[in-house]
Amino acid sequence: RMPAPSMESENLVGQTLFGTYTVTEKLGEGAMGNVYLAKQAQTGQRIAIKVLNAEAAQHQETVARFLREARVISMMTHPNVVRVFIFGETKSGISYMAMEHVDGMPLERIVRNQKMDGARAIGIAKQMLDAIGEAHDLGIMHRDLKPENVLLTTWRGQKDYVKILDFGIAKVQNANQQLTQMGIVYGTPAYMSPEQAQALEIDRRADIYSLGCMLYEMITGEIPFDAKTNLKILEMQAFQKPVPPSEHTDVDARLEAIILQAMAKAPENRFQTAQQMLDALKALDEPVEQPPADRTRQELPITFQMLNDLAVEKPWFWPAALIAVVGAIVASWALNLGEHVHVLGEVPSGLPHIGLPEVKWSWELIGKLVPTAFAMFVVILAQSAATSRAYAARYNERFSENTDLVG
């Protein structure tokens, strides 16, 4: 076990702690204490050291709450929560905790009076919900979720990597010690749930309300409720419905519905767990289901182009049609020769007697040939039309199959 550091004064800059860590600078100062940066010379590792100031250390409840915060954070292993390495009290009575140092920017600075891109806001909210979900599983309620308590950093190339801190007023269910009292309001008015604002008993759904307020602010650039006094803000949180985000900015209707559900006045109307809200945000990544495409088969008109397409598919179509027409004319001619032909000359000896007819054309012959040829042509055309309709049916079927694939 690492021995307690020797902290002989409130100003720790220049002191060596935990044997090898040298305090290099003061990072911040608050009403209850200070935060310092310490660095290990051998490895270059940096840690943040949070200590209570002398005035805060005079109050036993404050000291107990400080140490409880350290204990609560040390219970958690989620990467989106700032880690606590060691905590305790020095021999001189100074309470401290050594924490992971995060080189990042508070979310508060980013959302101050400006809107955030929807995808970016959703990405940040997902990380917060995942981390708070682990806290809830451990029976821990943060109770003071706000942009000031969220740091954004870059980790392994990922920008806007969330680190949640300050569990100073966190509530642990079934804890032996009662460090908060009914009738006392804890938290920050702009992000407090209605039950917190009325000093009622709370559960994990109070954190979900606070996360809804934060997401509202990230999307719109404004807090849901604002007034000149904190008392008025608490009253608005308890009884007034928020202005829909869409009245401030363009927002996906599904995202707006998620924000408003998280901010429902009655806890039973909110998401019941952080995981439920997280799943709802993840569903926004899925494409919106489109109505089914019109797959009605339409009869296509038979055109010369379709006949030509049929000829491309069946190269023998047009030659066969031409041969059929010519054959019909020849057949008609042969059937109607009769007395209109005679053999020219004698057939040379040794050759088969095939004859070389000479047709004596007459109006009578033409009158017999033309109707017959026309009738045969109509038959061929009708057959071509039937074939084209069959082709059109296949065309429609293929069109329907392609539409099914697209739809």
Side-chain angles (χ1 to χ4, degrees):
R1 180 176 176 178
M2 190 175 295
S6 174
M7 300 180 186
E8 301 302 333
S9 67
E10 290 192 26
N11 186 5
L12 302 182
V13 176
Q15 294 191 35
T16 299
L17 306 176
F18 312 114
T20 57
Y21 287 88
T22 302
V23 179
T24 58
E25 62 178 297
K26 181 187 285 188
L27 295 176
E29 183 175 348
M32 295 177 57
N34 304 321
V35 180
Y36 296 89
L37 176 66
K39 183 177 180 180
Q40 188 179 49
Q42 293 90 334
T43 64
Q45 182 186 27
R46 298 186 298 174
I47 61 174
I49 300 176
K50 184 177 181 180
V51 299
L52 282 180
N53 58 33
E55 182 179 353
Q58 300 300 316
H59 303 281
Q60 184 177 357
E61 182 179 335
T62 301
V63 174
R65 183 173 291 115
F66 179 87
L67 296 177
R68 186 185 64 172
E69 176 189 7
R71 190 175 298 107
V72 164
I73 299 177
S74 66
M75 293 168 59
M76 301 183 63
T77 59
H78 199 282
N80 292 122
V81 175
V82 172
R83 293 174 296 164
V84 169
F85 301 122
I86 189 173
F87 64 94
E89 290 182 283
T90 67
K91 294 179 180 180
S92 57
I94 299 177
S95 300
Y96 70 92
M97 69 173 81
M99 309 163 58
E100 171 188 10
H101 174 257
V102 179
D103 186 12
M105 179 178 295
L107 179 59
E108 178 190 26
R109 293 186 189 177
I110 300 174
V111 300
R112 185 181 300 164
N113 300 321
Q114 65 177 1
K115 294 180 288 188
M116 185 179 289
D117 174 76
R120 185 184 185 190
I122 291 171
I124 293 171
K126 286 179 181 178
Q127 296 178 72
M128 292 191 294
L129 285 162
D130 202 31
I132 291 301
E134 181 187 273
H136 291 172
D137 290 342
L138 294 171
I140 301 168
M141 279 90 67
H142 191 287
R143 298 200 303 175
D144 196 22
L145 287 169
K146 56 185 177 180
E148 184 181 350
N149 288 338
V150 176
L151 291 178
L152 299 182
T153 186
T154 299
W155 184 71
R156 294 184 179 178
Q158 179 182 340
K159 295 182 179 180
D160 290 337
Y161 194 82
V162 168
K163 286 289 186 177
I164 298 177
L165 60 150
D166 199 350
F167 282 75
I169 63 170
K171 179 180 179 181
V172 182
Q173 290 180 327
N174 302 322
N176 294 327
Q177 287 182 301
Q178 180 65 31
L179 296 180
T180 59
Q181 302 175 23
M182 291 289 291
I184 299 178
V185 174
Y186 293 93
T188 303
Y191 307 94
M192 287 171 57
S193 67
E195 53 270 31
Q196 279 179 283
Q198 299 174 78
L200 302 176
E201 186 64 28
I202 67 166
D203 57 26
R204 60 190 178 185
R205 293 172 293 185
D207 284 343
I208 292 174
Y209 184 95
S210 300
L211 286 168
C213 292
M214 294 173 66
L215 186 52
Y216 184 108
E217 184 178 8
M218 285 189 283
I219 292 295
T220 66
E222 300 182 23
I223 57 177
F225 302 106
D226 196 9
K228 293 182 179 180
T229 65
N230 285 337
L231 184 61
K232 181 62 177 177
I233 295 176
L234 291 175
E235 180 184 339
M236 297 169 73
Q237 290 282 27
F239 305 110
Q240 186 172 315
K241 290 185 178 181
V243 175
S246 57
E247 295 190 18
H248 293 290
T249 186
D250 293 332
V251 59
D252 187 319
R254 297 174 297 165
L255 176 57
E256 180 176 64
I258 291 172
I259 294 173
L260 294 178
Q261 182 176 349
M263 294 183 62
K265 295 302 177 185
E268 60 269 20
N269 293 333
R270 299 175 203 152
F271 295 101
Q272 298 302 291
T273 65
Q275 186 63 48
Q276 284 184 1
M277 186 173 176
L278 177 58
D279 290 341
L281 289 177
K282 287 180 177 179
L284 296 179
D285 298 332
E286 301 174 2
V288 179
E289 184 176 352
Q290 299 294 336
D294 183 8
R295 301 173 183 174
T296 303
R297 296 184 182 181
Q298 300 178 353
E299 292 294 332
L300 300 179
I302 299 174
T303 64
F304 180 81
Q305 180 62 43
M306 292 179 62
L307 293 176
N308 190 56
D309 291 342
L310 180 60
V312 172
E313 186 176 304
K314 307 292 185 181
W316 45 263
F317 174 73
W318 285 117
L322 180 60
I323 292 172
V325 172
V326 173
I329 295 174
V330 171
S332 177
W333 170 70
L335 291 173
N336 291 278
L337 285 179
E339 68 277 3
H340 300 286
V341 299
H342 66 273
V343 179
L344 293 177
E346 296 294 333
V347 178
S349 176
L351 292 178
H353 190 289
I354 58 175
L356 186 58
E358 177 185 5
V359 180
K360 293 183 179 180
W361 296 95
S362 67
W363 287 111
E364 182 182 356
L365 176 60
I366 294 174
K368 292 180 179 181
L369 287 175
V370 171
T372 304
F374 180 75
M376 295 298 295
F377 180 77
V378 169
V379 172
I380 294 172
L381 184 61
Q383 181 63 35
S384 299
T387 305
S388 298
R389 287 193 179 88
Y391 175 76
R394 291 198 301 274
Y395 185 90
N396 274 316
E397 184 177 356
R398 293 175 184 173
F399 175 79
S400 177
E401 291 175 355
N402 292 334
T403 304
D404 288 342
L405 291 175
V406 174

